[in-house]
Amino acid sequence: MNPQTIPGRRAGRRRLWLILAAALALRLVLAAATQGYPYDMSCFVAWGDKLLAQGPAAFYSEGYFADYPPGYLPVLALAAALRRLLGCGGESPAGRVLLALVPALGDCGVTGLVYALARRRLGDGRTTLCLTLFTAFNPLLLFDTALWKQIDGAFMLPLLACFLLLERRRYLPAAALYGLALAIKPQALLAGPVLAVCFLAGVADAWSAGPRARARAVGRCFGGAAAALAVPLAFGLPFFGVGRLLPDLAEKYLTTASGYPYASINAFNWLAALGGNWAPLEATLGGFLSWGGLGTLHILLLTAGLAALAVLAWRADACRPEGAPRRFSPLLLAAFYTVGVFTLGHCMHERYLVPGVVLALAAAARWGDIRLYGAAFGLSLTGFVNLAAVYAQVGTDDEWLSAAASSLFVQVIGFAATAAFVLLAFTVWTICKSGAVSPLPAGGSRSPRLDRATVGAPAPQPAWTRREILALLGLTALTALLSFAYLGDLTAPQNPLDATGETLTETVTPAADTVELWLYPGISTGGSVTVTDAAGTLLYEKQLDQGTVFSWSRAVCQIPAGTACTVTVSNAQVFELALRDIDGGLVPLTGGGALTDEQAAVPAAISQLNSMYFDEIYHGRTGYELLHGLTVYETTHPPLGKDLIMLGIALFSMTGFGWRFSGTLFGVLLVPLAWCFARRLTRRPWVGALAGALLALDFMRFAQSRIATIDIYGTFFILLGACCMLWYCQRVLTAGVGGALVPMALGGAAFGLGCAAKWTGIYAGAGLAVLYLGVLYARWRQRPPRFWREFRLAGVGGVLFYVLLPFVIYLAAYLPYLWHDPGFTLADWWDCQRYMYWYHSTLEATHPFESRWYTWLLDLRPVWYYQNTNLPAGNLGSIAGLGGPVIWLAGLAAVLRLLWRQVSGRGSRAGAGVLILYGTQLIPWMLVARCTFLYHYFPSSMFCLAAVALVLGGAANQRRARRIGAGLAAASLLLFLWFYPVLSGLPVPEFWARSLQVLPSYGFY
């Protein structure tokens, strides 16, 4: 079907309205659910209330902060009136929706205009659909309107419409729309030089047409200036009155433009990349040029570049062949200049990029150029993370983004945004100079009938060979050897003196002079240990709490030989007490009972091998409590992970090896699972082997599986669920839903296990649901003879295996609670869920090694788990949780490549699936305001690995892809060997330890 026919246009419009409805709904839902940027929100609410209460004449009162011009203030007053009518406050969900409604409608208007441009150039094909979808759900625009609650959507629509009219040489209406944008936000001034250039080009066009044409063109310039000024003047009249209108309105624009005298005000641009974020304008860069001078120089050069491009395009148009397209494009020049001012100029705020991105997207649609689209794509992502970083840190100690990780992130994104601008500028230059366009991929028709005829079954999986099976087993064995080595001691005291809820004493007499006392406490919630001599002199005292559990400590304690000492333990368990002489040897003891009955289990040195660190004091301890039927201390996460820790303790006793065994085992099993997932995803055995090798050497897998916390279990079951869902989808498309019941059931079980290990498993459920429903749609497009029977089976199976079975598994994870307390009921279980939700939703704790989600992408802030303070001078020992550079950085590049292919209309089903699984793990963390850590990205990194596998497996040149894979594996091995000390806690000389701190934010020694 020709997409230009009337039915084709109608189908395109129906799709557009569906997209707009979904985009508007998503914005309003997010607006209601999120708080907004507090400074802007409070201003907008207060301004609307004041205008409604006092009227426009009293609004700009002396000393009152209001740095916006009058154009949008009536909308804020209307929102205030509706809030009053509804009886809701400005910070309520309804109040936030009212504030975001008009900008959200503006975003939808922008999407409609981009669609119209793309349809005119590209037809109603897939490329037009992708451009429209990317504009509608553009992360920068979405965040700006829905989460930040800014009004840029209302300002961008008239600005974009202005330049669209200039494309058609409708100068006076364009000038009026520019005036409307200027009345709403002073940032419209950034596009003013482009407007002037367009009017001057009109004069140049008319110059050879005679005096009357020249006069009309010159008059049009004056008329356009009048039209552009008339709108803000009309809006300002009720506020300033006739007498003070011009000076007061001019002062408002000037003071707003000069109100922040800094090189960059949280704008991640070229100046920020050079270190100018929040740098005063008068400060110098390199000691010879001020930031203000550099920004001014950049803008002068940029303006000269704008003039040169305009002249170049105009002169090319003057001699263009009949019917050839005009190269002088107001949209193109506006995109170049507005993005350029943000990138190179001073005094830029983070949101000043928004109009440039919109204009770049419109220019891409107008010209159908993939480079313009790529630049807009890159700027959208850099602008999005720019806003997200500023939003996440508001009200924190790092609000100015001056911490080491934040500063580095600002610079990296600033360079990335600059690179995107360079691509944009180069493309604009090539189009203006020669008209050369790199076309977007052909889209084709979107007819449902044609679509249903194009969906085939996936290719069969390659058979496993004996050699491949042996390789998989060998890699797993090597991973196990690597992971279990230097994990923890196999011996530790097991018999405590248990004074929980009481006070017990024992008498201990050393056989030799003592200089040091070692103590190995068990569970305590506020107890103490004291040592006194016969005269009652206090020789030693230690307070015991949740931070001291199952961790050896040492203290100076001088006790002469033969001194009878009384050890008093109050409300605590103590597994062992040991005394050491001046040579470090154990002092023989008499007496002490359970305090001194396992001296052979006292370690030679205190380290992570025999003591808990980081959150092991919560999760490892809980495993011990579950095993021994004690009251559980850690209840802020579901119990399955701690149940598994309990099994390791049951097998190997309460030792460093025992409480870490289960997690390490699951970390080992993660490697063959990743091998199988990547192999099934790409149908290339070598890619599966590469994925397994990369994960075996990944820093986070290694460190996070060797600590007795629960994240490794959640990550394992999330990847297992994804693997089963992939299997299910492929089986549905080859054998129907009835032939996919086994992977359906296994996937549901994996989902339930993931949820029972950690609530982050629920995030995975969103991605699994999208894939589950998406494959049904794909199956429908295959036209099977009994589709609706399959659909009903999928519905029943979904409820049974992805709702009921996970619920049963989740409940079963609480069985150890029932063993401890036979009276544990469903009401108690529900109280546990309510407590977990309350804890995580109200947590306000901070941590020196917390990090925000956007820093995870670049592995900027590792978590310092442990420091060994018992080493001789010159040696250092630490353990940190950090991501492996190969999987995390190469994976991020692969994810971006897959995303770019999807939004440019060249993606695949497999690529979309990986992006969905990756996004549903990461996106929820963007909305979390509580303390977060790098290891929360661990599940997402599994799909970074999948993205690497998919990119390499789908490469046209497989020989080159294999070489790249070999290089990645070699790099992983070298990096792992280099960083092994900080991943395992192995003590090394100081020079080696310091060499690992490759970034300023790497503080783990």
Side-chain angles (χ1 to χ4, degrees):
M1 181 177 66
N2 189 326
Q4 301 303 320
T5 62
I6 292 176
R9 289 197 296 271
R10 287 176 178 172
R13 291 193 189 101
R14 284 196 298 269
R15 286 194 297 273
L16 174 64
W17 283 112
L18 286 174
I19 292 170
L20 295 181
L24 179 63
L26 179 60
R27 281 164 169 78
L28 298 184
V29 168
L30 288 174
T34 56
Q35 295 299 315
Y37 191 70
Y39 303 136
D40 289 355
M41 278 279 296
S42 59
C43 286
F44 294 155
V45 171
W47 294 346
D49 289 340
K50 181 176 183 181
L51 182 57
L52 183 64
Q54 300 179 14
F59 181 80
Y60 290 110
S61 55
E62 186 176 355
Y64 184 74
F65 175 79
D67 62 346
Y68 274 44
Y72 197 74
L73 297 178
V75 178
L76 298 179
L78 177 60
L82 291 173
R83 288 197 302 271
R84 182 179 298 178
L85 180 65
L86 297 174
C88 62
E91 301 295 328
S92 66
R96 295 194 291 264
V97 167
L98 290 172
L99 194 61
L101 179 58
V102 171
L105 291 171
D107 287 352
C108 292
V110 165
T111 301
L113 292 177
V114 170
Y115 166 78
L117 283 168
R119 185 172 62 85
R120 189 177 298 119
R121 174 83 183 196
L122 304 166
D124 265 320
R126 177 169 179 164
T127 304
T128 295
L129 178 64
C130 289
L131 257 170
T132 306
L133 284 169
F134 185 70
T135 306
F137 300 100
N138 185 285
L140 174 60
L141 309 186
L142 194 64
F143 199 102
D144 182 69
T145 296
L147 277 78
W148 195 289
K149 314 292 189 299
Q150 249 295 336
I151 65 170
D152 293 305
F155 145 75
M156 290 183 302
L157 182 59
L159 188 67
L160 176 59
C162 160
F163 287 102
L164 286 178
L165 290 174
L166 287 174
E167 289 278 337
R168 302 181 185 183
R169 303 190 184 189
R170 299 183 61 185
Y171 294 99
L172 294 183
L177 284 171
Y178 176 80
L180 177 59
L182 186 61
I184 294 173
K185 294 199 76 172
Q187 284 74 46
L189 290 169
L190 301 182
V194 185
L195 187 74
V197 163
C198 293
F199 273 83
L200 291 175
V203 173
D205 285 338
W207 202 254
S208 60
R212 294 184 62 183
R214 290 198 294 269
R216 282 197 302 270
V218 173
R220 193 165 56 227
C221 290
F222 286 103
L229 291 174
V231 180
L233 288 174
F235 275 102
L237 187 61
F239 290 84
F240 302 111
V242 176
R244 299 294 304 169
L245 177 59
L246 284 175
D248 284 1
L249 192 60
E251 182 185 9
K252 177 57 58 184
Y253 280 96
L254 289 174
T255 55
T256 299
S258 60
Y260 298 90
Y262 301 98
S264 170
I265 303 99
N266 281 337
F268 298 178
N269 57 10
W270 172 242
L271 297 188
L274 297 178
N277 195 35
W278 291 105
L281 289 178
E282 64 274 11
T284 59
L285 175 65
F288 64 94
L289 183 63
S290 69
W291 288 105
L294 180 62
T296 302
L297 176 63
H298 284 160
I299 291 176
L300 290 175
L301 293 174
L302 184 71
T303 306
L306 170 67
L309 288 170
V311 171
L312 185 67
W314 180 82
R315 292 184 63 181
D317 286 342
C319 56
R320 74 183 191 277
E322 185 73 23
R326 294 179 70 238
R327 298 181 198 171
F328 186 91
S329 170
L331 264 180
L332 202 59
L333 296 175
F336 163 77
Y337 195 74
T338 53
V339 174
V341 170
F342 171 84
T343 306
L344 303 175
H346 55 293
C347 301
M348 292 294 110
H349 289 254
E350 63 284 314
R351 291 169 287 100
Y352 288 8
L353 181 60
V354 173
V357 167
V358 168
L359 291 166
L361 284 169
R366 153 74 175 82
W367 285 92
D369 191 289
I370 196 169
R371 297 167 300 174
L372 291 175
Y373 190 21
F377 171 79
L379 291 165
S380 297
L381 297 185
T382 60
F384 163 64
V385 294
N386 189 166
L387 261 64
V390 177
Y391 183 89
Q393 296 293 1
V394 65
T396 70
D397 294 338
D398 194 25
E399 187 163 3
W400 310 112
L401 302 176
S402 57
S406 295
S407 295
L408 186 58
F409 184 78
V410 169
Q411 292 181 288
V412 170
I413 301 303
F415 282 121
T418 304
F421 167 68
V422 170
L423 173 62
L424 175 66
F426 175 77
T427 305
V428 173
W429 177 74
T430 56
I431 292 175
C432 291
K433 180 177 182 293
S434 62
V437 172
S438 297
L440 284 160
S445 170
R446 293 293 300 175
S447 165
R449 290 184 179 179
L450 289 178
D451 281 350
R452 291 187 70 177
T454 60
V455 178
Q461 291 289 322
W464 284 82
T465 64
R466 183 173 180 271
R467 179 180 177 183
E468 186 182 5
I469 293 172
L470 290 175
L472 175 60
L473 295 175
L475 178 63
T476 304
L478 288 173
T479 305
L481 182 63
L482 183 69
S483 299
F484 283 107
Y486 200 64
L487 178 63
D489 289 348
L490 283 164
T491 59
Q494 301 296 311
N495 179 39
L497 175 69
D498 194 345
T500 303
E502 58 181 326
T503 298
L504 298 176
T505 62
E506 290 285 353
T507 300
V508 176
T509 304
D513 291 343
T514 296
V515 298
E516 199 170 59
L517 184 149
W518 286 27
L519 192 73
Y520 186 60
I523 293 171
S524 174
T525 54
S528 64
V529 175
T530 61
V531 179
T532 57
D533 61 15
T537 304
L538 183 65
L539 304 175
Y540 171 86
E541 182 178 23
K542 184 174 181 63
Q543 298 300 315
L544 304 179
D545 55 26
Q546 67 272 14
T548 62
V549 297
F550 300 104
S551 299
W552 283 96
S553 64
R554 59 194 293 185
V556 174
C557 185
Q558 297 186 354
I559 305 174
T563 303
C565 301
T566 301
V567 182
T568 304
V569 181
S570 298
N571 192 33
Q573 289 180 336
V574 175
F575 278 79
E576 199 70 11
L577 179 148
L579 300 177
R580 291 192 179 272
D581 59 26
I582 194 168
D583 297 321
L586 281 175
V587 174
L589 302 174
T590 56
L595 283 176
T596 59
D597 63 341
E598 298 176 273
Q599 294 289 290
V602 177
I606 297 174
S607 71
Q608 82 284 356
L609 299 176
N610 46 60
S611 299
M612 288 186 169
Y613 62 91
F614 197 62
D615 283 354
E616 288 187 332
I617 61 174
Y618 306 123
H619 303 138
R621 162 193 179 156
T622 302
Y624 175 85
E625 290 166 337
L626 290 169
L627 180 63
H628 293 277
L630 304 175
T631 301
V632 170
Y633 175 76
E634 201 287 318
T635 57
T636 62
H637 293 287
L640 180 62
K642 291 157 286 186
D643 295 344
L644 295 170
I645 293 173
M646 174 190 70
L647 294 179
I649 297 170
L651 289 172
F652 296 99
S653 301
M654 192 61 183
T655 62
F657 190 90
W659 64 65
R660 295 174 188 143
F661 170 78
S662 295
T664 306
L665 177 62
F666 272 79
V668 170
L669 295 177
L670 201 56
V671 169
L673 178 60
W675 179 316
C676 294
F677 181 64
R679 186 187 193 277
R680 177 169 286 277
L681 183 68
T682 63
R683 299 176 181 83
R684 295 190 185 275
W686 78 266
V687 174
L690 174 66
L694 293 180
L695 188 55
L697 298 169
D698 181 60
F699 294 0
M700 183 61 74
R701 183 212 64 82
F702 183 80
Q704 205 63 37
S705 67
R706 289 162 50 92
I707 181 173
T709 56
I710 60 176
D711 295 273
I712 186 65
Y713 307 109
T715 301
F716 177 86
F717 290 123
I718 286 168
L719 184 58
L720 179 61
C723 190
C724 291
M725 180 55 69
L726 174 62
W727 181 15
Y728 168 78
C729 291
Q730 293 172 345
R731 287 291 295 168
V732 166
L733 295 178
T734 55
V737 175
L741 294 180
V742 172
M744 181 195 295
L746 293 176
F751 172 59
L753 291 167
C755 296
K758 196 170 184 179
W759 274 3
T760 50
I762 298 173
Y763 300 166
L768 297 177
V770 172
L771 297 182
Y772 194 86
L773 296 174
V775 77
L776 282 179
Y777 172 66
R779 180 64 174 164
W780 170 76
R781 287 166 56 189
Q782 287 182 325
R783 296 176 173 271
R786 296 182 177 180
F787 170 75
W788 293 110
R789 177 179 294 181
E790 292 188 30
F791 182 82
R792 288 191 296 271
L793 180 60
V796 172
V799 172
L800 178 63
F801 294 124
Y802 281 93
V803 179
L804 296 180
L805 179 60
F807 181 69
V808 171
I809 292 172
Y810 191 89
L811 279 178
Y814 282 85
L815 282 175
Y817 283 54
L818 189 64
W819 301 337
H820 165 63
D821 179 11
F824 185 80
T825 65
L826 283 176
D828 298 320
W829 173 87
W830 180 245
D831 288 341
C832 291
Q833 314 314 304
R834 292 175 56 194
Y835 172 74
M836 280 190 283
Y837 177 78
W838 170 85
Y839 174 84
H840 291 289
S841 62
T842 61
L843 181 65
E844 296 181 357
T846 60
H847 193 280
F849 288 91
E850 65 179 295
S851 56
R852 299 297 181 182
W853 67 268
Y854 50 85
T855 64
W856 305 342
L857 308 178
L858 300 175
D859 194 17
L860 295 182
R861 188 58 171 162
V863 188
W864 192 3
Y865 289 147
Y866 171 77
Q867 181 184 26
N868 192 335
T869 58
N870 302 287
L871 295 173
N875 283 352
L876 296 175
S878 279
I879 298 177
L882 65 161
V886 172
I887 288 181
W888 289 43
L889 299 183
L892 177 63
V895 165
L896 292 176
R897 177 176 173 80
L898 292 180
L899 180 60
W900 167 238
R901 292 190 66 83
Q902 292 296 141
V903 302
S904 60
R906 298 170 296 166
S908 64
R909 291 183 304 208
V914 169
L915 290 172
I916 288 168
L917 293 169
Y918 174 81
T920 51
Q921 283 301 312
L922 179 61
I923 290 172
W925 292 109
M926 299 179 186
L927 306 177
V928 173
R930 51 151 286 187
C931 177
T932 53
F933 297 92
L934 181 69
Y935 56 75
H936 289 136
Y937 189 64
F938 188 21
S940 300
S941 72
M942 296 299 99
F943 303 110
C944 288
L945 177 61
V948 171
L950 198 58
V951 169
L952 292 178
N957 188 333
Q958 279 296 292
R959 185 175 180 182
R960 185 197 307 169
R962 285 173 179 265
R963 288 199 298 266
I964 292 173
L968 293 177
S972 294
L973 178 59
L974 292 175
L975 288 167
F976 185 85
L977 294 174
W978 180 23
F979 276 83
Y980 180 80
V982 79
L983 302 175
S984 64
L986 180 71
V988 290
E990 185 173 354
F991 78 89
W992 189 343
R994 298 304 179 197
S995 74
L996 302 178
Q997 296 177 292
V998 294
L999 296 177
S1001 55
Y1002 277 26
F1004 41 65
Y1005 277 107

